[in-house]
Each structure stands twice: as C-alpha cells, then as structure tokens.
Amino acid sequence: MSQQAEPGPKPRYHRLLIGFNHHTECRSVLGFAAQVSQAAGVELAGVFVEDQDLLDLARLPFSAEILSSSRQTRNLDFNSIEGELRAIAWQMQRSLRILAERTKRQYSFRTVRGHLLRALIAQVEAGDLVLLRTACVPWPSTKPAMSIIGDIRGPVVLLEPPGSGNGNLVALAQEIARIMKQELVVLREYSGPQTLRSLNAGLIIAPAALLSADAAGNGVEHFVDAAPCPVLLVPETG
C-alpha cells in the first residue's frame, strides 16, 4: 500500500557507504547517493572493491576472456586487470568527489579487495547506511553503460521491518521518496528475494533486521543479487 503520512523525526545516521566494483550497474548508484545523503543528513563514503575472483582468475596460466566487441579471445593478464580496476576506482573516486562538492557533503573513499557485499559489510560501523547495486550483466559487455546520474524510474519501496518500531525508518523512507519525487510503497508482506523483480521499484529500502529474520533462510547477499534496482540497507538504530 502507499504511505502518505507526514515525515516524522529522522534517526541519527552517520555515513552512507556506497559500494562499487568494476560492473557498470554499480556506477548508477551515485545519483541515488546524493538524494539519500540529503534525506538522511549524512556524509558520503565510497568503497571500491577489487574483485578477488577476477584477480584470482587472471593469475591462472591459461585463463582467457572473450571480448564482447569483437568475439575474439585474449589471455587474462593479472597486471593488466589490476590496472584496469585501479583506473575504474580512480574514476569513481573522482565522480564521488564532484558529487560531494556539488551537494556540499563531506566524503571519503577507499579501495579494498574481496567480494563486493562481504567487503562492503566489513566496513560498516554503527549508524551506517549501505547503498549498492550488484551486477546483472557480465563484464565487459556490449550493453550501454547506465547513466551515472542514476535517474530513478519507479517507486521507492520500503520493506516493513519486523515488530512495530518502524517509525524512524518510515520517516527516512518518506523523506527519500519526497526528494526523489516518487511514490513511497510500504510492502508489509515480504516473502523472500524471489518476489523482488515483480515490484518494479526504482529503489528498495530494506531493514537489516528483516533480512536477518528471513524465514526462507536467504541472506543479505541473495537479497541484493535478486534486486532489480539499487538497494539501501538500513541498520537498527535503537
């Protein structure tokens, strides 16, 4: 159902962690980051994750990739792949800096190595929001790169947390929807990641408490991978 109540007091969040890796989908969250950080009143903290699986593959002696543009193959070279990842990280840091200057927000940026969601969650501190988008097409791809502005095309969908103490989270979701000029839809019956693609959402807001209490046994990673749009993970704030 749609939520029409007036925004209430916002909880105290500290940072918006923004997860990036080499996939183009991850870059689309920057536009969302500006609006979420404004709604929550937080600083921006970019985390670029160099894909450990990709680097491990590049170390193998006979690994190769098929170039999507020409359908030719080339040997994977560890130094080349590492250089490409660092170049992408530099581009994302520059984009985040420009965004922070434009929106008058403090920002930070770091590069780590690992697996996107696990490495990002390892950076979370108390009061951090987490914004990310996982890949749905392989890299490299002939699919046009998504706009780095990340224009929202669909409602803001809030998955209702368990229990009744959801006033602060609803207030935050209302403010995000207001700034994005989108309808807010509160989903009161979440039955698992398999339902996410039918929501046609532009942004999904998910409380960490709901995902940890998932009766189907699916974790945060399955949830984010199934989402067809950026996801904002919200911690408990007491």
Side-chain angles (χ1 to χ4, degrees):
M1 63 176 290
S2 298
Q3 177 72 34
Q4 300 294 337
E6 288 298 319
K10 289 182 289 187
R12 290 184 62 85
Y13 299 113
H14 303 296
R15 299 186 302 171
L16 177 64
L17 288 186
I18 311 159
F20 306 109
N21 65 8
H22 55 277
H23 289 282
T24 58
E25 292 93 336
C26 293
R27 307 172 207 181
S28 69
V29 301
L30 272 180
F32 292 88
Q35 295 161 318
V36 172
S37 65
Q38 179 183 349
V42 294
E43 65 183 65
L44 301 164
V47 179
F48 184 86
V49 182
E50 296 179 343
D51 192 315
Q52 188 65 59
D53 288 339
L54 180 61
L55 292 167
D56 289 343
L57 183 63
R59 289 184 185 275
L60 298 177
F62 301 109
S63 58
E65 66 175 334
I66 300 176
L67 300 176
S68 56
S69 57
S70 63
R71 297 300 176 184
Q72 295 180 338
T73 61
R74 72 169 182 177
N75 291 332
L76 283 177
D77 176 75
F78 178 86
N79 290 331
S80 296
I81 295 298
E82 188 177 47
E84 289 181 36
L85 293 179
R86 288 178 178 175
I88 296 172
W90 181 87
Q91 293 170 358
M92 297 315 300
Q93 181 174 5
R94 179 178 180 273
S95 297
L96 184 62
R97 175 179 57 79
I98 292 172
L99 178 67
E101 291 173 351
R102 192 180 73 211
T103 57
K104 296 180 172 58
R105 293 284 167 192
Q106 295 292 322
Y107 89 101
S108 62
F109 192 94
R110 67 174 57 184
T111 298
V112 298
R113 187 166 291 185
H115 302 86
L116 177 60
L117 185 57
R118 278 171 275 169
L120 187 60
I121 294 300
Q123 305 293 320
V124 174
E125 300 174 0
D128 284 347
L129 303 168
V130 180
L131 179 66
L132 77 162
R133 173 79 165 98
T134 55
C136 59
V137 295
W139 176 76
S141 171
T142 54
K143 181 180 178 179
M146 299 177 69
S147 169
I148 206 163
I149 300 302
D151 294 330
I152 188 170
R153 298 178 182 176
V156 174
V157 175
L158 169 64
L159 305 188
E160 187 175 58
S164 58
N166 65 344
N168 282 341
L169 182 55
V170 171
L172 175 64
Q174 288 173 332
E175 183 66 6
I176 292 172
R178 184 190 69 80
I179 290 174
M180 291 183 171
K181 300 179 180 177
Q182 293 291 331
E183 177 187 18
L184 172 63
V185 176
V186 179
L187 185 66
R188 305 193 186 282
E189 296 182 0
Y190 168 67
S191 58
Q194 70 279 0
T195 64
L196 297 179
R197 293 197 175 274
S198 63
L199 297 178
N200 297 317
L203 175 69
I204 295 175
I205 302 175
L210 177 64
L211 301 184
S212 63
D214 187 359
N218 296 301
V220 176
E221 194 162 359
H222 288 165
F223 176 90
V224 175
D225 284 342
C229 63
V231 171
L232 179 67
L233 299 176
V234 182
E236 297 184 70
T237 60

